[in-house]
Amino acid sequence: MATLQPGKSGEGFDEQHPPSQELVSDCVHCGFCLPACPTYALTGEEMNSPRGRIYQIKLIGGGEAPLGAAAVSHFDACLGCMACVTECPSGVQYDKLIESVRPQIERNWTRSRSDRVFRRLIFGLFPYPRRLRLAAVIGSLYQRLRIHNVLARTGLLARLPARLRALEALMPDVRLRSALRRTPDRTPAASTARRTVGMVTGCVQQVFFAEVNEATVRVLTAEGCDIIAPRAQGCCGALSEHAGRAEEALARARRLIDTFEPLDVDTIVVNAAGCGSSLKEYGRLLADDADYRERAAAFSAKVRDVTELLAELAPVAPRHPVPARVAYHDACHLAHAQGVRNEPRAVLRSVPGLDLVDIPEADMCCGSAGIYNLVQPEAAEELGRRKADNIRTTSPEAVVTANPGCLLQIGRHLDRSLPLLHPVQIVDASIRGVRPW
């Protein structure tokens, strides 16, 4: 749990987009959200449930309670998985409520010095692919020299702060050749072009999961798409938005719009669920910006997860059998935030010979949730182990999910004992007639 120190004593939300009390009043405290909420499942505490957090928002917004240490800890404990939004029979928009609370905390609460330093480290690294490539080089040396084994054997690893242990444990297997490759600016369709697609290459995705981007390009060009992946694109701002760093997120959103707008593409495709959920919200995020609100809405209207786009396109590339039993994990920001559930399954089931199985407690978050598994490592570890145990009950040969954070988190808790892939990699293997792992 993050260490907190008092902020501005006695103060509540400021006037810059405070949580809507009208949305708060939609909650009738029925309790349907309780079994869907990961933190309530872990702690059994009412204030760590969606309706408990909504009650705290009501009190703070009404001036009956301050934005104090207890409330901040409960808000910080929320993964933002939005499973409660899916479950709520009253249509409570908890997503909008928690997303409006996070910037309030960042503006009006003073975190401990160690917390501030750690968050600066995260946001000084992950949104910058060039810095991530340097980190990949260092990570490769770390793994080749087996430094982890030395630290574990000497007991130094166990003495590290929980957050640094989580960062070390989540380090993917680094393949330098892959990390240093870049997606081509333009790749023509393999046959008659049916659509012009702009591709968001991501930050962590393009460095540590470059093979997913490569598979995305191969599959879409095989299905008749001209691909444009502008080199100038930067971070989409998803991590910043989910962490309450509002101005940073908006600046990155504007830059991405500026990059893609002149390209005149039919569709903007993304293969990372967390990024996709923010890209589809640009119209709402920039609604107050007269220069960008219409442009942002037009941008968001074009955004599709790669599985959505493949489900829209009638397949033209032949599929070869992939005889394997594969467990599909619903990434929260795809299933709950975007409402995309059927398309990934339909795309995977179009592959001959694939035995696709769902995981018990499919709607329970794996504990990744943006930077959650770094800033809330204890809760994330419990959820990761729970997800891994549920996966093992299905006896799969591999696991597929549509988000890089989920791939890292699940891989860690499965001890990398199973191949983990993005759905587009299965389709790519089927089209090419090769084994996907």
Side-chain angles (χ1 to χ4, degrees):
M1 191 69 67
T3 302
L4 300 168
Q5 64 186 39
K8 299 176 183 178
S9 178
E11 294 191 6
F13 300 132
D14 61 34
E15 295 182 358
Q16 187 176 342
H17 295 295
S20 165
Q21 291 299 308
E22 184 178 348
L23 294 183
V24 166
S25 66
D26 289 338
C27 178
V28 297
H29 301 278
C30 65
F32 276 88
C33 60
L34 299 183
C37 177
T39 50
Y40 183 79
L42 292 181
T43 68
E45 294 181 19
E46 175 70 16
M47 291 305 165
N48 269 338
S49 74
R51 73 178 184 183
R53 293 186 181 103
I54 289 172
Y55 182 66
Q56 292 171 88
I57 292 171
K58 179 181 179 180
L59 292 178
I60 297 168
E64 299 176 58
L67 183 63
V72 170
S73 68
H74 294 311
F75 293 136
D76 278 353
C78 175
L79 293 102
C81 69
M82 309 309 171
C84 57
V85 177
T86 299
E87 290 298 318
C88 181
S90 302
V92 175
Q93 298 178 65
Y94 177 82
D95 51 342
K96 292 182 179 178
L97 288 171
I98 193 65
E99 286 167 2
S100 61
V101 167
R102 297 206 193 280
Q104 294 282 341
I105 293 172
E106 297 310 305
R107 287 195 300 269
N108 300 311
W109 181 259
T110 303
R111 296 186 180 277
S112 69
R113 183 175 182 276
S114 61
D115 197 4
R116 296 196 304 271
V117 169
F118 189 73
R119 288 169 185 263
R120 280 200 294 268
L121 169 66
I122 290 173
F123 288 99
L125 175 62
F126 287 100
Y128 300 95
R130 288 183 181 178
R131 298 177 191 177
L132 282 176
R133 287 191 171 91
L134 175 59
V137 173
I138 296 170
S140 178
L141 290 172
Y142 179 91
Q143 290 169 349
R144 290 185 181 185
L145 296 174
R146 301 184 183 277
I147 295 175
H148 170 88
N149 295 343
V150 175
L151 293 177
R153 193 165 53 248
T154 59
L156 292 176
L157 189 62
R159 296 179 190 176
L160 290 176
R163 287 177 164 184
L164 291 181
R165 290 200 307 273
L167 186 61
E168 194 271 351
L170 287 163
M171 186 186 302
D173 293 330
V174 180
R175 294 182 290 275
L176 276 183
R177 287 186 180 180
S178 177
L180 297 176
R181 287 200 299 267
R182 297 177 185 271
T183 304
D185 289 354
R186 292 177 179 266
T187 309
S191 56
T192 303
R194 298 194 283 168
R195 194 172 297 200
T196 302
V197 174
M199 181 175 165
V200 177
T201 53
C203 301
V204 171
Q205 191 81 310
Q206 69 171 280
V207 176
F208 293 110
F209 296 96
E211 65 275 9
V212 175
N213 281 352
E214 291 166 359
T216 299
V217 170
R218 284 194 297 264
V219 169
L220 292 179
T221 54
E223 294 294 1
C225 297
D226 288 332
I227 304 296
I228 304 175
R231 184 68 59 89
Q233 65 179 287
C235 175
C236 69
L239 279 182
S240 301
E241 184 212 344
H242 298 156
R245 300 165 71 98
E247 292 306 315
E248 188 175 87
L250 294 179
R252 287 177 172 147
R254 294 184 188 101
R255 177 181 172 183
L256 201 67
I257 292 168
D258 289 341
T259 301
F260 276 88
E261 197 173 52
L263 303 180
D264 194 27
V265 296
D266 304 311
T267 305
I268 298 170
V269 73
V270 59
N271 55 21
C275 298
S277 67
S278 285
L279 294 171
K280 290 181 178 180
E281 291 293 312
Y282 275 6
R284 177 182 63 81
L285 294 174
L286 290 164
D288 292 339
D289 189 327
D291 293 332
Y292 277 88
R293 67 167 67 101
E294 292 183 5
R295 298 163 62 191
F299 178 98
S300 291
K302 292 183 177 183
V303 175
R304 299 288 186 279
D305 182 76
V306 65
T307 60
E308 286 184 285
L309 179 55
L310 288 174
E312 286 178 18
L313 295 169
V316 294
R319 267 56 166 175
H320 299 89
V322 178
R325 181 177 175 86
V326 171
Y328 177 71
H329 163 69
D330 281 292
C332 294
H333 278 95
L334 192 61
H336 300 306
Q338 299 182 54
V340 176
R341 292 174 174 272
N342 296 328
E343 292 87 346
R345 289 173 170 82
V347 167
L348 287 167
R349 287 181 174 132
S350 72
V351 174
L354 196 72
D355 180 15
L356 188 66
V357 296
D358 286 327
I359 299 165
E361 292 190 324
D363 287 339
M364 185 67 67
C365 184
C366 69
S368 174
I371 66 169
Y372 189 90
N373 52 2
L374 297 177
V375 296
Q376 301 279 344
E378 293 89 355
E381 184 163 352
E382 287 190 59
L383 291 169
R385 288 177 178 171
R386 185 168 178 158
K387 181 64 67 174
D389 289 343
N390 279 321
I391 288 171
R392 290 187 186 100
T393 67
T394 68
S395 302
E397 297 174 63
V399 182
V400 290
T401 188
N403 194 53
C406 298
L407 289 169
L408 290 174
Q409 173 78 347
I410 293 172
R412 173 195 173 184
H413 291 285
L414 285 173
D415 298 321
R416 296 174 174 81
S417 59
L418 287 172
L420 280 96
L421 302 101
H422 191 287
V424 77
Q425 291 177 279
I426 300 287
V427 178
D428 176 49
S430 176
I431 291 174
R432 293 195 292 150
V434 299
R435 183 76 176 173
W437 58 84

Coordinates of all heavy atoms in Angstrom, one line a residue, residues 48-103:
N48 N -13.9 -0.2 0.3 CA -13.1 -0.7 -0.8 C -14.0 -1.3 -1.9 O -13.5 -2.1 -2.7 CB -12.0 -1.7 -0.3 CG -10.7 -1.0 0.0 OD1 -10.4 0.1 -0.5 ND2 -9.9 -1.6 0.8
S49 N -15.2 -1.0 -1.9 CA -16.2 -1.4 -2.9 C -16.6 -0.2 -3.7 O -16.4 1.0 -3.3 CB -17.4 -2.1 -2.3 OG -18.2 -1.1 -1.7
P50 N -17.2 -0.4 -4.9 CA -17.6 0.8 -5.7 C -18.7 1.6 -5.0 O -18.6 2.8 -4.9 CB -18.2 0.1 -6.9 CG -17.5 -1.2 -7.1 CD -17.2 -1.6 -5.7
R51 N -19.6 1.0 -4.3 CA -20.7 1.8 -3.7 C -20.1 2.5 -2.4 O -20.5 3.6 -2.1 CB -21.9 0.9 -3.3 CG -21.7 -0.1 -2.1 CD -23.0 -0.8 -1.8 NE -22.8 -1.7 -0.6 CZ -23.7 -2.5 -0.1 NH1 -24.9 -2.6 -0.8 NH2 -23.5 -3.2 0.9
G52 N -19.1 1.8 -1.8 CA -18.4 2.5 -0.7 C -17.7 3.7 -1.1 O -17.7 4.8 -0.5
R53 N -17.0 3.6 -2.3 CA -16.2 4.8 -2.8 C -17.2 5.9 -3.3 O -16.9 7.1 -3.1 CB -15.3 4.3 -3.9 CG -14.2 3.4 -3.5 CD -13.2 3.0 -4.6 NE -12.2 2.1 -4.1 CZ -12.1 0.8 -4.4 NH1 -13.1 0.3 -5.2 NH2 -11.2 0.1 -3.9
I54 N -18.3 5.5 -3.8 CA -19.3 6.5 -4.3 C -19.9 7.2 -3.0 O -20.1 8.4 -3.1 CB -20.5 5.8 -5.0 CG1 -19.9 5.3 -6.4 CG2 -21.6 6.7 -5.2 CD1 -20.9 4.5 -7.2
Y55 N -20.1 6.5 -1.9 CA -20.5 7.2 -0.7 C -19.5 8.2 -0.2 O -19.8 9.3 0.2 CB -20.8 6.1 0.4 CG -21.3 6.7 1.7 CD1 -22.6 7.3 1.7 CD2 -20.6 6.6 2.8 CE1 -23.1 7.8 2.9 CE2 -21.0 7.2 4.0 CZ -22.3 7.7 4.1 OH -22.8 8.3 5.2
Q56 N -18.2 7.8 -0.3 CA -17.2 8.7 0.1 C -17.1 10.0 -0.8 O -16.9 11.1 -0.4 CB -15.8 8.0 0.1 CG -15.7 7.0 1.2 CD -14.4 6.1 1.0 OE1 -13.4 6.5 1.5 NE2 -14.5 5.0 0.3
I57 N -17.3 9.7 -2.1 CA -17.4 10.9 -3.1 C -18.5 11.8 -2.7 O -18.4 13.0 -2.7 CB -17.6 10.3 -4.5 CG1 -16.3 9.6 -5.0 CG2 -17.9 11.5 -5.5 CD1 -16.5 8.9 -6.3
K58 N -19.7 11.2 -2.3 CA -20.8 12.0 -1.9 C -20.5 12.9 -0.7 O -20.8 14.1 -0.7 CB -22.0 11.1 -1.6 CG -23.3 11.8 -1.1 CD -24.4 10.8 -0.8 CE -25.6 11.6 -0.3 NZ -26.7 10.6 0.0
L59 N -19.9 12.3 0.3 CA -19.5 13.0 1.5 C -18.5 14.2 1.2 O -18.7 15.3 1.7 CB -18.9 12.1 2.6 CG -19.9 11.0 3.2 CD1 -19.2 10.2 4.1 CD2 -21.1 11.7 3.8
I60 N -17.5 13.8 0.5 CA -16.5 14.8 0.2 C -17.0 15.9 -0.7 O -16.8 17.1 -0.4 CB -15.2 14.2 -0.5 CG1 -14.6 13.2 0.4 CG2 -14.2 15.2 -1.0 CD1 -13.6 12.3 -0.3
G61 N -17.8 15.6 -1.7 CA -18.4 16.6 -2.6 C -19.4 17.4 -1.9 O -19.6 18.6 -2.3
G62 N -20.1 16.9 -0.9 CA -21.0 17.7 -0.1 C -20.4 18.5 1.0 O -21.2 19.1 1.8
G63 N -19.1 18.4 1.2 CA -18.5 19.1 2.2 C -18.6 18.5 3.6 O -18.3 19.1 4.6
E64 N -19.1 17.2 3.7 CA -19.2 16.6 4.9 C -18.0 15.8 5.4 O -17.9 15.3 6.5 CB -20.4 15.6 4.8 CG -21.8 16.2 4.5 CD -22.9 15.2 4.4 OE1 -23.1 14.5 5.3 OE2 -23.5 15.2 3.3
A65 N -17.0 15.7 4.5 CA -15.8 15.0 4.8 C -14.7 15.6 4.0 O -14.9 16.0 2.9 CB -15.9 13.5 4.6
P66 N -13.4 15.5 4.5 CA -12.3 16.0 3.7 C -11.8 15.0 2.8 O -12.1 13.8 2.9 CB -11.3 16.4 4.8 CG -11.5 15.3 5.8 CD -13.0 15.1 5.9
L67 N -11.0 15.4 1.8 CA -10.2 14.5 1.0 C -9.0 14.1 1.8 O -7.9 14.6 1.6 CB -9.8 15.1 -0.3 CG -9.1 14.2 -1.3 CD1 -9.9 13.1 -1.8 CD2 -8.6 15.0 -2.6
G68 N -9.2 13.1 2.7 CA -8.2 12.8 3.7 C -7.5 11.5 3.4 O -7.7 10.8 2.3
A69 N -6.6 11.0 4.3 CA -5.8 9.9 4.0 C -6.6 8.6 3.8 O -6.3 7.8 2.9 CB -4.8 9.7 5.2
A70 N -7.6 8.4 4.6 CA -8.4 7.2 4.5 C -9.1 7.1 3.1 O -9.1 6.1 2.4 CB -9.5 7.1 5.6
A71 N -9.7 8.2 2.7 CA -10.4 8.3 1.4 C -9.4 8.1 0.2 O -9.7 7.3 -0.7 CB -11.2 9.6 1.2
V72 N -8.3 8.7 0.3 CA -7.3 8.6 -0.8 C -6.8 7.2 -0.9 O -6.6 6.6 -2.0 CB -6.1 9.5 -0.5 CG1 -4.9 9.2 -1.5 CG2 -6.5 11.0 -0.7
S73 N -6.6 6.5 0.3 CA -6.1 5.1 0.2 C -7.2 4.2 -0.4 O -6.8 3.3 -1.2 CB -5.8 4.6 1.6 OG -7.0 4.5 2.4
H74 N -8.5 4.5 -0.2 CA -9.5 3.7 -0.8 C -9.6 3.9 -2.3 O -9.9 3.0 -3.1 CB -10.9 3.9 -0.1 CG -10.9 3.5 1.3 ND1 -10.5 2.2 1.7 CD2 -11.3 4.1 2.5 CE1 -10.7 2.1 3.0 NE2 -11.1 3.2 3.5
F75 N -9.5 5.2 -2.7 CA -9.6 5.5 -4.1 C -8.3 4.9 -4.8 O -8.4 4.4 -5.9 CB -9.6 7.0 -4.3 CG -10.9 7.7 -3.8 CD1 -10.9 8.9 -3.1 CD2 -12.1 7.1 -4.1 CE1 -12.0 9.4 -2.7 CE2 -13.3 7.7 -3.7 CZ -13.3 8.9 -2.9
D76 N -7.2 5.1 -4.2 CA -5.9 4.5 -4.8 C -6.0 3.0 -4.9 O -5.4 2.4 -5.9 CB -4.7 4.8 -3.9 CG -4.2 6.2 -4.2 OD1 -4.7 6.9 -5.1 OD2 -3.3 6.7 -3.5
A77 N -6.7 2.3 -4.0 CA -6.9 0.9 -4.1 C -7.7 0.4 -5.2 O -7.6 -0.8 -5.6 CB -7.4 0.3 -2.8
C78 N -8.5 1.3 -5.8 CA -9.4 0.9 -7.0 C -8.5 0.6 -8.2 O -7.7 1.5 -8.6 CB -10.4 2.0 -7.2 SG -11.4 1.7 -8.7
L79 N -8.7 -0.5 -8.9 CA -8.0 -0.8 -10.1 C -8.5 -0.1 -11.3 O -7.8 0.0 -12.3 CB -8.0 -2.3 -10.3 CG -7.3 -3.2 -9.3 CD1 -8.3 -3.9 -8.4 CD2 -6.5 -4.3 -10.0
G80 N -9.7 0.4 -11.2 CA -10.3 1.0 -12.4 C -10.6 0.0 -13.5 O -10.6 0.3 -14.7
C81 N -10.9 -1.2 -13.0 CA -11.2 -2.3 -14.0 C -12.6 -2.2 -14.6 O -12.8 -2.8 -15.7 CB -11.1 -3.7 -13.3 SG -12.3 -4.0 -12.1
M82 N -13.5 -1.5 -14.0 CA -14.8 -1.2 -14.5 C -15.7 -2.4 -14.5 O -16.8 -2.4 -15.2 CB -14.8 -0.5 -15.9 CG -13.9 0.7 -15.9 SD -14.2 1.9 -14.6 CE -12.8 3.0 -14.8
A83 N -15.4 -3.5 -13.8 CA -16.3 -4.7 -13.8 C -17.6 -4.3 -13.1 O -18.6 -4.8 -13.5 CB -15.6 -5.8 -13.0
C84 N -17.5 -3.3 -12.2 CA -18.8 -2.9 -11.5 C -19.7 -2.2 -12.5 O -21.0 -2.3 -12.4 CB -18.4 -2.0 -10.4 SG -17.5 -0.5 -10.8
V85 N -19.2 -1.5 -13.5 CA -20.0 -0.9 -14.5 C -20.8 -1.9 -15.3 O -21.9 -1.7 -15.6 CB -19.1 0.0 -15.4 CG1 -20.0 0.6 -16.5 CG2 -18.4 1.1 -14.6
T86 N -20.1 -3.0 -15.6 CA -20.7 -4.1 -16.4 C -21.8 -4.7 -15.6 O -22.9 -5.0 -16.1 CB -19.7 -5.2 -16.8 OG1 -18.7 -4.6 -17.6 CG2 -20.3 -6.3 -17.5
E87 N -21.6 -4.9 -14.2 CA -22.6 -5.6 -13.4 C -23.7 -4.7 -12.9 O -24.8 -5.3 -12.6 CB -21.8 -6.1 -12.2 CG -20.9 -7.3 -12.5 CD -21.6 -8.5 -13.0 OE1 -22.7 -8.8 -12.5 OE2 -21.1 -9.1 -13.9
C88 N -23.6 -3.4 -12.9 CA -24.6 -2.6 -12.2 C -25.9 -2.5 -13.0 O -26.0 -2.2 -14.2 CB -24.1 -1.1 -12.1 SG -25.2 0.0 -11.3
P89 N -27.0 -2.9 -12.3 CA -28.3 -3.0 -13.0 C -28.9 -1.6 -13.1 O -29.9 -1.3 -13.9 CB -29.2 -3.8 -12.1 CG -28.6 -3.7 -10.7 CD -27.1 -3.5 -11.0
S90 N -28.4 -0.6 -12.4 CA -28.9 0.8 -12.4 C -28.2 1.7 -13.4 O -28.5 2.9 -13.5 CB -28.8 1.4 -11.0 OG -29.6 0.6 -10.1
G91 N -27.1 1.1 -14.0 CA -26.4 1.9 -15.0 C -25.5 3.0 -14.4 O -25.3 4.1 -15.0
V92 N -25.1 2.8 -13.2 CA -24.2 3.8 -12.5 C -22.9 3.9 -13.3 O -22.2 3.0 -13.6 CB -23.9 3.4 -11.0 CG1 -23.0 4.4 -10.4 CG2 -25.2 3.4 -10.2
Q93 N -22.5 5.2 -13.6 CA -21.3 5.4 -14.4 C -20.1 5.6 -13.4 O -19.6 6.7 -13.3 CB -21.5 6.7 -15.3 CG -22.7 6.5 -16.3 CD -22.9 7.7 -17.1 OE1 -22.1 8.1 -17.9 NE2 -24.1 8.3 -17.0
Y94 N -19.8 4.6 -12.8 CA -18.7 4.6 -11.8 C -17.4 5.0 -12.5 O -16.5 5.6 -11.9 CB -18.5 3.2 -11.1 CG -17.3 3.2 -10.2 CD1 -17.4 3.7 -8.9 CD2 -16.1 2.6 -10.6 CE1 -16.3 3.6 -8.0 CE2 -15.0 2.5 -9.7 CZ -15.1 3.0 -8.5 OH -14.1 3.0 -7.6
D95 N -17.3 4.6 -13.8 CA -16.0 4.9 -14.5 C -15.8 6.4 -14.6 O -14.7 6.9 -14.3 CB -16.1 4.3 -16.0 CG -17.4 4.7 -16.7 OD1 -18.4 5.1 -16.1 OD2 -17.4 4.6 -18.0
K96 N -16.9 7.2 -14.8 CA -16.7 8.6 -14.9 C -16.4 9.2 -13.5 O -15.7 10.2 -13.4 CB -18.0 9.3 -15.5 CG -18.2 8.9 -17.0 CD -19.4 9.6 -17.5 CE -19.5 9.3 -19.0 NZ -20.7 9.9 -19.6
L97 N -17.0 8.6 -12.5 CA -16.8 9.1 -11.1 C -15.3 8.9 -10.7 O -14.7 9.8 -10.2 CB -17.7 8.4 -10.2 CG -19.2 8.8 -10.3 CD1 -20.1 7.9 -9.4 CD2 -19.4 10.3 -9.9
I98 N -14.8 7.7 -10.8 CA -13.5 7.4 -10.4 C -12.4 8.2 -11.2 O -11.4 8.6 -10.7 CB -13.1 5.9 -10.3 CG1 -11.9 5.6 -9.5 CG2 -13.1 5.3 -11.7 CD1 -11.9 6.0 -8.1
E99 N -12.7 8.3 -12.5 CA -11.8 9.1 -13.4 C -11.8 10.5 -13.1 O -10.8 11.2 -13.4 CB -12.2 8.8 -14.8 CG -11.8 7.4 -15.3 CD -12.4 7.0 -16.7 OE1 -13.1 7.9 -17.3 OE2 -12.2 5.9 -17.1
S100 N -12.9 11.1 -12.5 CA -12.9 12.5 -12.1 C -12.2 12.7 -10.7 O -11.8 13.8 -10.4 CB -14.3 13.1 -12.1 OG -15.1 12.4 -11.2
V101 N -12.2 11.6 -9.9 CA -11.6 11.7 -8.6 C -10.1 11.7 -8.7 O -9.4 12.4 -8.0 CB -12.0 10.5 -7.7 CG1 -11.2 10.4 -6.4 CG2 -13.5 10.7 -7.3
R102 N -9.5 10.9 -9.6 CA -8.0 10.7 -9.6 C -7.3 12.1 -9.9 O -6.3 12.4 -9.2 CB -7.7 9.7 -10.6 CG -8.2 8.3 -10.3 CD -7.3 7.2 -10.9 NE -8.0 5.9 -10.9 CZ -8.0 5.1 -9.9 NH1 -7.4 5.5 -8.7 NH2 -8.6 3.9 -9.9
P103 N -7.7 12.9 -10.8 CA -7.0 14.2 -10.9 C -7.2 15.1 -9.7 O -6.3 15.9 -9.4 CB -7.7 14.8 -12.2 CG -8.3 13.7 -12.9 CD -8.7 12.7 -11.9

